[in-house]
């Protein structure tokens, strides 16, 4: 009896011991993986408490580190550093880190946020085939998303926010069968949204704000579970997206949407937050949005919505914030909005019948509505009146066509009787023609083509130091181009054959990489046909404290020398003719205009010189040195008596009135040297020549031409020359308030070009110059 009882007891003991042994082995293996991860990371500091005796599966979770186990296997790992954690040192290898991480094969949830991780995101993370949730936000990952992630069929949540991922969004992102949350905020993605996103049937959250995405939003009406759509600060548009009606949060602010809102938006009964601000929406504002059953936040500011509000209009009692400002809305403010806190209701810049918050007169909204093509609503007419209206319209169109035909016949007959003259060219790229300066001074009205014009410039990205060393042969002296207060300049060639200019900046103070990210984001947006644009950057950090020791800014390489070299004597090549000088001036003016209005905040006080203007192989002018905040902060630069740090705190009005006019004056000096064709070495010389030009304005043609570069000869129209001289003099006026806006300057320059193009003078000017490729001065160093 005793023996019979003894054998089962021994068997149970052996099984229990075996299970404990296997569990300890598994725990020891995965515990070792966590300890290796600890050695690779520097943050958070709570990791320092881990050691070989730590029972990871039974440690208390906290805000920084949480380990969750199931059946003694680690299934969740959350490691979260402090916001603003700097980039890990140069010797950190993201590839080694992920190789270690895949030693936790049963991971379902992975959070690695604000840890300073950097590098291209390794595709081998897909070896964690059980992953359901992955969050690697607030790090420094760059390049594209690896396609290997497409194999994670169980993935439900993918969060890559606040990194430096770039390139187009891959179509395979729409192939995840159970993906519910896709968040890619604050990266550098560009291109359009793939149509495959409409296949994500389980998607509940799609967040793509603060990228460089553009184009039409694909039809998302099939995503019946979509509750949050955040597209803020991109360039989507122009059509309002097709969406399901179960949305809770819809953010379309700071895009390029226009036209009217669809009628179905009034049926979004679950909608709580709606932000349509800073677009170009037109048409009537659906006042029913104020009374949607779930709405708490409504922002339609800075559009062109029309319509009338009424005092007795109803609102949702749960409304907490309403912004109707800067539209074309008329009528009376609804009484129901008075119940909302005054600090959270905005309606200025409309034509409401109230004295609050700076309203326009009623005529303003009517005229503006007509200007953008919004016709006032009229009562329905009878069928007979419609036929009459159509008949009248048809008659008018027919009359116009007949008059046009007669005009063409008469013009053709007159052309045979008179001496043929070249027709005046229409300048298709004249963005300012037909628009008043006041309108053009507002960046919202400047066309996207004029602002960007960056065709052919590669996407901005982060470079590794190894890439730059290879491009410059380890920064060999043969690649050295010069040195100034803003660092050393090297010429290099990337693996893809692209020539670049690399500026190396040694830090005078101790900063973490996070301190520079705002400036890096600004630099990445400074991309224009008439700017030498940055292609990317690279941080080099000290190993001891991870602070930045050097920053490398990589610019496009401009091979054809400076504008001064093309208009001054002593060069072997032929000099620019008059039409080409005007074209170069127009290019510089467009570059300045983009710096002022093409991005927010604008870049002012650029201390421009003619040696900062380079010409590419097609003789297109590019501004090579402008007021990059990152450089200004490191050098403590002061421009025209205004420090960069002070200028950040100025109001927009003060900046427009003073700092813009500083750049206009500098442009006037560049224009003056282009006219006279010789270097100007002092302010006194500039003043003397300006006075001489002033006298020549009221003199005859001969006196004006005596002031011009003799090599131009008689190859310029007197009207074109006179216009250029007048612009130059106005730019050089002592009182900044008297100088023209850069929009006025650009309009007049384009007029001068148009006049010159339609004029045929002495043939001594010769044929246009064929661009050459001398090994001249490239991206110049500005000594300030």
């Amino acid at each position: 009896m005793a023996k019979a009882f003894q054998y089962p007891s021994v068997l149970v003991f052996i099984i229990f011991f075996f299970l404990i042994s296997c569990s300890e082995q598994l725990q020891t293996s995965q515990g070792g993986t966590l300890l290796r991860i600890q050695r690779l990371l520097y943050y958070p500091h709570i990791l320092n408490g881990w050691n070989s005796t730590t029972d990871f599966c039974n440690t208390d979770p906290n805000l920084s580190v949480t380990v969750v186990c199931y059946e003694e296997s680690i299934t969740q790992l959350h490691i979260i550093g402090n916001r603003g954690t700097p980039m890990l040192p140069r010797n950190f290898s993201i590839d080694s880190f992920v190789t270690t991480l895949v030693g936790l094969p049963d991971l379902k949830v992975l959070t690695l946020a604000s840890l300073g991780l950097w590098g291209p995101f390794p595709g081998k993370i897909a070896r964690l085939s059980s992953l359901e949730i992955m969050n690697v936000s607030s790090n420094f990952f760059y390049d594209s998303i690896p396609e290997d992630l497409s194999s994670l069929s169980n993935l439900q949540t993918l969060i890559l926010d606040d990194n430096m991922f770039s390139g187009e969004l891959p179509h395979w992102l729409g192939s995840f069968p159970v993906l519910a949350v896709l968040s890619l905020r604050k990266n550098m993605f560009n291109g359009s949204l793939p149509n495959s996103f409409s296949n994500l049937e389980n998607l509940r959250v799609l967040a793509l704000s603060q990228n460089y995405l553009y184009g039409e939003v694909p039809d998302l009406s099939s995503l019946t579970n979509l509750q949050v759509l955040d597209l803020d600060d991109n360039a989507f548009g122009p059509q309002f997206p097709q969406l399901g009606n179960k949305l809770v949060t819809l953010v379309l602010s700071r895009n390029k949407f226009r036209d009217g809102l669809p009628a179905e938006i009034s049926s979004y009964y679950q909608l709580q937050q709606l932000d349509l601000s800073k677009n170009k929406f037109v048409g009537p504002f659906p006042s029913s949005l104020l009374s949607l059953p779930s709405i708490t936040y409504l922002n339609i500011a800075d559009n062109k919505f029309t319509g009338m509000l009424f005092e007795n209009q109803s609102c949702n009692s749960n409304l907490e914030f309403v912004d109707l400002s800067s539209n074309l809305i008329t009528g009376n403010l609804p009484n129901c909005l008075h119940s909302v806190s005054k600090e959270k209701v905005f309606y200025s810049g409309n034509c409401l019948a109230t004295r609050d918050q700076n309203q326009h007169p009623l005529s303003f909204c009517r005229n503006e509505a007509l200007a953008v093509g919004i016709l006032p609503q009229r009562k329905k007419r009878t069928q007979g009146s419609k036929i009459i209206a159509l008949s009248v319209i048809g008659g008018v169109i027919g009359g116009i066509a007949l008059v046009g035909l007669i005009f063409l016949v008469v013009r053709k007959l007159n052309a045979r009787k008179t001496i043929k003259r070249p027709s005046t060219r229409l300048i298709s790229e004249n963005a300012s023609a037909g628009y008043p300066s006041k309108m053009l001074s507002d960046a919202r009205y400047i066309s996207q083509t004029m602002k960007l014009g960056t065709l052919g410039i590669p996407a901005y990205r982060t470079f590794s130091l190894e890439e730059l060393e290879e491009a410059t042969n380890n920064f060999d002296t043969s690649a050295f181009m010069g040195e100034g207060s803003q660092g050393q300049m090297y010429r290099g060639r990337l693996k893809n054959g692209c020539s670049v200019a690399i500026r190396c900046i040694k830090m005078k103070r101790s900063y973490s990489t996070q301190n520079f990210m705002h400036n890096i984001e600004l630099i990445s947006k400074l991309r224009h046909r008439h700017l030498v644009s940055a292609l990317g950057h690279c941080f080099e950090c000290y190993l001891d404290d991870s602070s930045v020791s050097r920053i490398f800014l990589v610019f496009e390489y401009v091979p054809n020398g400076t504008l001064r070299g093309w208009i001054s004597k002593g060069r072997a090549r032929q000099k620019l003719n008059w039409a080409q000088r005007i074209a170069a001036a127009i290019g510089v003016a467009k570059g300045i205009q983009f710096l002022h209005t093409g991005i927010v905040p604008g870049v002012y006080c650029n201390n421009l010189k003619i040696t900062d203007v380079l010409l590419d192989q097609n003789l297109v002018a590019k501004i090579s040195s402008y007021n990059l905040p990152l450089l200004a902060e490191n050098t403590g630069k002061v421009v025209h008596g205004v420090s960069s740090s002070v200028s950040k705190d100025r109001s927009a009005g003060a900046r427009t009135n003073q700092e813009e006019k500083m750049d206009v004056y500098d442009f006037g000096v560049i224009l003056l040297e282009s006219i006279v064709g010789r270097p100007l070495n002092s302010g006194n010389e500039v003043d003397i020549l300006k006075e001489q030009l002033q006298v020549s304005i009221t003199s005859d043609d001969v006196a004006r031409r005596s002031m011009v570069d003799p090599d131009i000869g008689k190859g310029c129209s007197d009207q074109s020359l006179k216009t250029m001289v007048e612009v130059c003099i106005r730019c050089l006026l002592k009182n900044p308030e008297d100088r023209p806006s850069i929009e006025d300057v650009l309009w007049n320059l384009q007029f001068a070009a148009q006049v010159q193009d339609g004029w045929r003078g002495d043939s001594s000017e010769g044929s246009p110059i064929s661009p050459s490729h001398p090994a001249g001065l490239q991206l110049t160093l500005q000594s300030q």
Side-chain angles (χ1 to χ4, degrees):
M1 181 74 179
K3 288 184 179 181
F5 179 78
Q6 185 176 7
Y7 288 118
S9 300
V10 172
L11 182 61
V12 169
F13 177 78
I14 292 173
I15 294 173
F16 181 72
F17 179 80
F18 177 77
L19 290 174
I20 291 179
S21 176
C22 291
S23 173
E24 287 180 349
Q25 288 178 8
L26 184 61
Q27 176 65 16
T28 300
S29 172
Q30 298 198 3
T33 298
L34 291 180
L35 291 177
R36 286 191 293 273
I37 290 174
Q38 173 204 39
R39 288 192 292 270
L40 292 171
L41 295 177
Y42 284 61
Y43 316 99
H45 296 300
I46 194 172
L47 294 178
N48 296 334
W50 285 359
N51 54 52
S52 58
T53 63
T54 301
D55 185 0
F56 294 104
C57 289
N58 293 297
T59 54
D60 294 330
N62 57 64
L63 295 176
S64 297
V65 177
T66 299
V67 179
V68 178
C69 300
Y70 178 73
E71 294 182 350
E72 301 303 326
S73 181
I74 298 174
T75 57
Q76 295 188 34
L77 175 62
H78 305 264
I79 307 178
I80 304 172
N82 296 325
R83 190 173 183 84
T85 296
M87 188 183 295
L88 288 171
R90 179 184 171 188
N91 60 354
F92 171 78
S93 170
I94 186 62
D95 191 71
S96 299
F97 178 82
V98 172
T99 300
T100 302
L101 190 64
V102 296
L104 305 175
D106 299 314
L107 268 184
K108 295 180 180 296
V109 181
L110 174 64
T111 301
L112 302 170
S114 300
L115 299 178
L117 305 175
W118 63 272
F121 197 60
K124 65 177 65 176
I125 194 76
R127 296 177 187 175
L128 297 173
S129 57
S130 299
L131 269 183
E132 298 175 359
I133 298 174
M134 181 165 62
N135 178 0
V136 294
S137 58
S138 299
N139 286 292
F140 300 92
F141 293 116
Y142 53 82
D143 286 351
S144 58
I145 308 175
E147 188 173 357
D148 306 63
L149 294 187
S150 61
S151 65
L152 296 175
S153 58
N154 298 316
L155 199 63
Q156 300 175 22
T157 298
L158 178 61
I159 302 176
L160 307 179
D161 295 348
D162 199 9
N163 279 283
M164 294 182 290
F165 286 107
S166 60
E168 297 187 359
L169 293 178
H171 66 90
W172 52 259
L173 280 176
S175 64
F176 291 105
V178 293
L179 190 66
V181 177
L182 178 60
S183 187
L184 309 175
R185 293 184 174 102
K186 296 185 68 174
N187 280 284
M188 297 180 181
F189 291 114
N190 55 42
S192 57
L193 206 56
N195 291 327
S196 61
F197 276 37
S198 59
N199 300 326
L200 296 171
E201 298 178 354
N202 294 290
L203 197 65
R204 289 186 293 107
V205 176
L206 178 59
L208 305 172
S209 60
Q210 299 186 55
N211 280 284
Y212 303 98
L213 301 167
Y214 57 82
E216 293 281 3
V217 178
D219 187 349
L220 302 180
S221 57
S222 61
L223 305 186
T224 55
N225 295 304
L226 189 64
Q227 297 179 355
V228 176
L229 178 62
D230 183 1
L231 304 180
D232 173 59
D233 197 9
N234 282 283
F236 286 116
Q239 298 296 324
F240 191 92
Q242 300 181 55
L243 305 169
N245 59 4
K246 293 185 179 180
L247 283 167
V248 175
T249 298
L250 176 59
V251 181
L252 303 180
S253 52
R254 296 188 290 181
N255 277 281
K256 304 298 178 185
F257 293 108
R258 59 177 186 265
D259 297 338
L261 298 180
E264 55 266 23
I265 196 171
S266 297
S267 65
Y268 290 180
Y269 298 132
Q270 299 182 34
L271 193 63
Q272 298 177 13
Q273 178 180 349
L274 176 62
D275 191 344
L276 307 178
S277 60
K278 299 184 185 303
N279 279 283
K280 298 180 180 180
F281 284 115
V282 298
F285 163 62
S287 56
S288 58
L289 294 180
L290 290 167
S291 57
L292 284 175
S294 303
I295 196 74
T296 60
Y297 179 103
L298 176 63
N299 189 349
I300 64 166
D302 292 297
N303 283 287
K304 295 291 182 181
F305 283 118
T306 59
M308 181 175 290
L309 298 179
F310 301 94
E311 290 182 345
N312 60 354
Q313 193 164 324
S314 62
C315 303
N316 188 314
S317 58
N318 295 320
L319 267 178
E320 299 174 356
F321 180 94
V322 177
D323 192 347
L324 310 175
S325 55
S326 299
N327 280 285
L328 305 174
I329 300 174
T330 60
N332 296 283
L333 189 70
N335 291 327
C336 58
L337 291 182
H338 294 303
S339 61
V340 184
S341 173
K342 290 184 178 180
E343 293 79 19
K344 296 184 178 181
V345 177
F346 306 93
Y347 44 87
S348 64
N350 285 286
C351 299
L352 296 170
T354 176
R355 296 182 179 179
D356 297 338
Q357 298 194 20
N358 299 322
Q359 301 299 312
H360 294 294
L362 187 60
S363 59
F364 174 85
C365 289
R366 289 175 177 170
N367 293 337
E368 285 291 301
L370 290 173
V372 294
I374 309 172
L375 298 177
Q377 292 182 341
R378 302 180 185 272
K379 294 182 179 180
K380 293 183 179 179
R381 305 186 178 204
T382 63
Q383 187 70 20
S385 62
K386 289 182 180 178
I387 295 173
I388 293 173
L390 291 173
S391 301
V392 171
I393 293 172
V396 171
I397 294 174
I400 293 173
L402 181 59
V403 171
L405 182 61
I406 294 172
F407 172 77
L408 291 175
V409 172
V410 172
R411 183 179 178 183
K412 187 173 182 179
L413 292 173
N414 289 337
R416 294 177 179 177
K417 297 178 182 179
T418 58
I419 299 174
K420 292 183 179 179
R421 294 184 180 181
S423 59
T424 301
R425 174 173 59 95
L426 293 177
I427 304 177
S428 60
E429 60 182 13
N430 181 356
S432 56
Y435 296 91
S437 299
K438 184 177 181 181
M439 178 179 287
L440 280 170
S441 65
D442 187 340
R444 291 175 298 177
Y445 293 93
I446 297 174
S447 70
Q448 190 70 10
T449 302
M450 186 187 69
K451 281 186 188 178
L452 299 180
T454 56
L455 294 178
I457 301 178
Y460 188 95
R461 69 182 180 91
T462 302
F463 289 83
S464 68
L465 184 58
E466 288 75 14
E467 282 183 275
L468 302 186
E469 288 174 342
E470 183 178 351
T472 58
N473 193 20
N474 290 321
F475 296 98
D476 188 77
T477 54
S478 60
F480 184 69
M481 294 165 58
E483 183 171 7
S485 61
Q486 294 184 346
Q488 298 174 329
M489 186 65 67
Y490 293 87
R491 176 182 175 179
R493 183 178 292 273
L494 303 178
K495 279 186 176 180
N496 61 6
C498 176
S499 294
V500 294
I502 304 169
R503 189 189 298 276
C504 172
I505 310 155
K506 294 181 180 179
M507 290 295 101
K508 295 183 178 180
R509 301 179 185 177
S510 178
Y511 294 109
S512 69
T513 54
Q514 200 67 24
N515 293 111
F516 295 108
M517 293 317 297
H518 175 75
N519 289 331
I520 289 295
E521 183 179 3
L522 176 61
I523 291 171
S524 70
K525 294 180 179 179
L526 289 169
R527 303 170 72 76
H528 189 271
R529 185 170 185 252
H530 296 291
L531 296 182
V532 177
S533 304
L535 305 181
H537 71 277
C538 171
F539 290 127
E540 184 181 29
C541 302
Y542 292 107
L543 296 181
D544 50 355
D545 62 355
S546 299
S547 63
V548 177
S549 60
R550 290 191 296 178
I551 297 178
F552 299 88
L553 293 178
V554 182
F555 294 87
E556 58 177 327
Y557 179 80
V558 182
N560 228 5
T562 70
L563 177 58
R564 172 176 284 179
W566 280 92
I567 64 176
S568 299
K569 294 182 178 180
R571 303 304 295 260
R573 61 189 170 211
Q574 188 176 356
K575 295 165 69 173
L576 294 184
N577 61 36
W578 182 245
Q580 290 167 326
R581 296 188 193 202
I582 298 176
I586 290 173
V588 176
K590 286 184 176 181
I592 295 173
Q593 186 185 41
F594 176 79
L595 289 171
H596 289 182
T597 62
I599 61 169
V600 178
V603 179
Y604 299 84
C605 297
N606 292 287
N607 198 15
L608 300 171
K609 301 181 180 68
I610 195 168
T611 51
D612 298 327
V613 180
L614 307 181
L615 300 182
D616 68 10
Q617 63 273 17
N618 297 314
L619 298 181
V620 174
K622 292 176 176 285
I623 301 173
S624 70
S625 185
Y626 37 91
N627 187 16
L628 296 179
L630 186 150
L631 302 179
E633 290 179 5
N634 187 54
T635 59
K637 171 179 145 186
V638 177
V639 184
H640 292 282
V642 182
S643 69
S644 298
S645 59
V646 173
S647 65
K648 290 180 182 178
D649 298 327
R650 290 174 174 242
S651 66
R655 178 187 300 169
T656 301
N657 292 333
Q658 183 173 359
E659 296 178 351
E660 176 189 5
K661 299 305 176 68
M662 294 176 183
D663 287 339
V664 170
Y665 181 90
D666 292 337
F667 176 79
V669 177
I670 294 173
L671 199 57
L672 179 59
E673 187 165 328
S674 298
I675 292 172
V676 300
R678 57 185 175 84
L680 305 178
N681 300 314
S682 69
N684 185 48
E685 188 177 3
V686 170
D687 291 338
I688 293 172
L689 283 173
K690 184 193 76 172
E691 296 300 326
Q692 293 175 353
L693 284 179
Q694 182 74 59
V695 173
S696 73
I697 287 292
T698 56
S699 303
D700 57 11
D701 181 21
V702 176
R704 274 190 293 277
R705 291 183 186 278
S706 67
M707 295 293 300
V708 182
D709 184 355
D711 287 343
I712 293 176
K714 297 181 180 180
C716 60
S717 147
D718 182 58
Q719 180 60 57
S720 174
L721 173 60
K722 188 175 181 179
T723 302
M724 291 281 282
V725 169
E726 288 174 342
V727 172
C728 179
I729 292 171
R730 290 179 60 202
C731 290
L732 297 175
L733 291 174
K734 291 297 182 184
N735 185 1
E737 296 296 326
D738 295 334
R739 298 169 195 159
S741 68
I742 194 63
E743 285 78 23
D744 282 336
V745 170
L746 184 56
W747 192 95
N748 282 279
L749 292 176
Q750 289 172 323
F751 172 76
Q754 192 170 4
V755 171
Q756 177 65 23
D757 192 64
W759 176 88
R760 181 175 297 172
D762 192 284
S763 61
S764 60
E765 181 178 344
S767 59
I769 303 170
S770 298
S772 58
H773 301 269
L777 188 62
Q778 287 82 28
L779 190 63
T780 55
L781 291 161
Q782 184 177 0
S783 299
Q784 300 165 341

